[in-house]
Amino acid sequence: MVEPQQGGTYDEILALAQKTEELGFDGFFRSDHLQRIGPGDPGPGSTDSWVTLAGLARETRRIRLGTMVSSASFRRPGPLAIAVATVDAMSGGRVELGLGSGWFEVEHTSYGVPFLSTRDRLDVLEEQLALLTGLWTTAPGQTFTFTGKHVSVRDSPALPKPVQPGGVPIIVGGGGAVRTPQLAATYADEFNMPPGQTLDATEKQFKVVRDACERAERDPATLALSTVQALFIGDESDVQRAAADGDASPEDMRALGLYGSAGEIVDKLGRLQELGASRTYLQMGSLHDSEILERMHADVVPQLDA
């Protein structure tokens, strides 16, 4: 999982995606932001996530592709449904859609996008989830109508359809105690715990999500659980340097991500699996970190297979 808004061209994204596929990993996901987050040179600027994924769809053959996550605050649901279904067809049915409410106010004001209150952004997210699932599940030859507070559609032909049976898998995530778990239980195929969370916080949030499924009369086993983990493989001196660069302690780095030796990373992945996570996204600090992926492939994956 990469963050191209922090700096990266399409060619650099493509190179890492193809390396991901070459090494045998299962998917390549990217963030959906309009500009850099935090200090530093803003160049070359962000790339559009779905335009990028359309290119990757034609230049990869096996890996899953998706967003972690697209922002409902600057993605209109009708055009987004068309774009995602189109990329799904271009990839041969390998696309997944992570969708969130949006949170980075600066990117909205920079590009003329209204930034609503937290409550309203969650309302928009809920309406978009209802619209996307409604558009994709409307029977061929039928039309879809939806009336909401923030967006409505009337007699939509609900085309094109994704090529994946049942539509594109939807991912909803976050640390909220009420609204996010409810939305995941109602609309999502996967719930994702965002980066920077301890094992205890992850365990508690997974329980909250399972409880939300039960309240919605949904079998919790039908909702996949996943996490995002910042990845850094190295010996103790490497971890010490990385922690100093990040203005954090090595203990915090280990608690909040996959930091340390191959053995430590294997243990952490095992603990995440015990908590119920069936998928872990490896958050890459740079598009030029292919060496870390190679070390993951060479030193960690064989232990997981064993």
Side-chain angles (χ1 to χ4, degrees):
M1 183 262 164
V2 296
E3 307 270 2
Q5 79 279 351
Q6 300 302 97
T9 65
Y10 172 73
D11 286 341
E12 291 170 329
I13 297 169
L14 172 62
L16 192 58
Q18 291 179 328
K19 174 62 71 172
T20 298
E21 185 165 75
E22 173 191 329
L23 292 174
F25 292 98
D26 295 312
F28 185 86
F29 281 62
R30 60 155 295 160
S31 59
D32 189 6
H33 285 291
L34 303 179
Q35 70 180 73
R36 183 182 182 90
I37 300 170
D41 183 352
S46 188
T47 50
D48 182 87
S49 62
W50 286 100
V51 172
T52 300
L53 291 169
L56 299 182
R58 305 305 293 176
E59 299 193 74
T60 59
R61 293 291 175 266
R62 179 188 56 80
I63 50 175
R64 306 290 294 176
L65 301 167
T67 49
M68 185 56 65
V69 293
S70 286
S71 175
S73 59
F74 55 76
R75 296 284 179 185
R76 302 298 293 174
L80 180 62
I82 292 173
V84 174
T86 301
V87 179
D88 193 45
M90 293 171 69
S91 70
R94 293 184 284 124
V95 161
E96 303 183 18
L97 170 64
L99 191 65
S101 62
W103 62 271
F104 187 38
E105 184 174 3
V106 172
E107 66 186 337
H108 295 73
T109 57
S110 291
Y111 288 96
V113 180
F115 188 72
L116 305 177
S117 68
T118 300
R119 180 188 294 269
D120 284 341
R121 293 199 311 278
L122 286 168
D123 288 344
V124 168
L125 174 60
E126 182 166 10
E127 291 184 11
Q128 292 212 15
L129 289 165
L131 272 165
L132 288 163
T133 53
L135 289 167
W136 287 337
T137 57
T138 296
Q142 302 296 311
T143 60
F144 176 70
T145 295
F146 176 89
T147 301
K149 175 183 175 182
H150 296 277
V151 63
S152 301
V153 299
R154 178 182 298 174
D155 297 331
S156 170
L159 295 171
K161 303 292 190 193
V163 301
Q164 295 181 75
V168 168
I170 291 176
I171 305 163
V172 172
V178 178
R179 196 77 180 275
T180 301
Q182 174 234 322
L183 293 178
T186 304
Y187 296 105
D189 299 276
E190 175 182 325
F191 173 82
N192 177 260
M193 191 65 170
Q197 307 296 320
T198 64
L199 287 171
D200 285 346
T202 299
E203 182 175 21
K204 290 176 183 177
Q205 188 67 353
F206 282 178
K207 182 182 185 305
V208 169
V209 171
R210 292 186 183 104
D211 290 344
C213 286
E214 292 179 353
R215 287 193 299 273
E217 298 183 348
R218 174 179 179 174
D219 180 358
T222 66
L223 180 63
L225 302 173
S226 66
T227 70
V228 178
Q229 298 284 315
L231 175 66
F232 182 84
I233 303 176
D235 59 25
E236 185 58 33
S237 61
D238 295 327
V239 173
Q240 294 277 356
R241 284 193 297 271
D245 290 343
D247 195 24
S249 70
E251 293 75 21
D252 285 344
M253 302 286 267
R254 287 185 167 96
L256 301 178
L258 295 175
Y259 276 79
S261 66
E264 289 177 301
I265 290 173
V266 170
D267 290 344
K268 181 75 172 285
L269 288 170
R271 180 65 178 129
L272 289 169
Q273 186 180 42
E274 290 172 0
L275 296 180
S278 58
R279 174 186 283 185
T280 292
Y281 298 83
L282 307 175
Q283 186 184 38
M284 308 296 292
S286 167
L287 290 170
H288 308 290
D289 279 349
S290 60
E291 180 182 349
I292 289 182
L293 277 185
E294 290 169 352
R295 292 185 69 177
M296 185 80 179
H297 170 70
D299 300 338
V300 176
V301 172
Q303 295 187 56
L304 298 176
D305 291 339

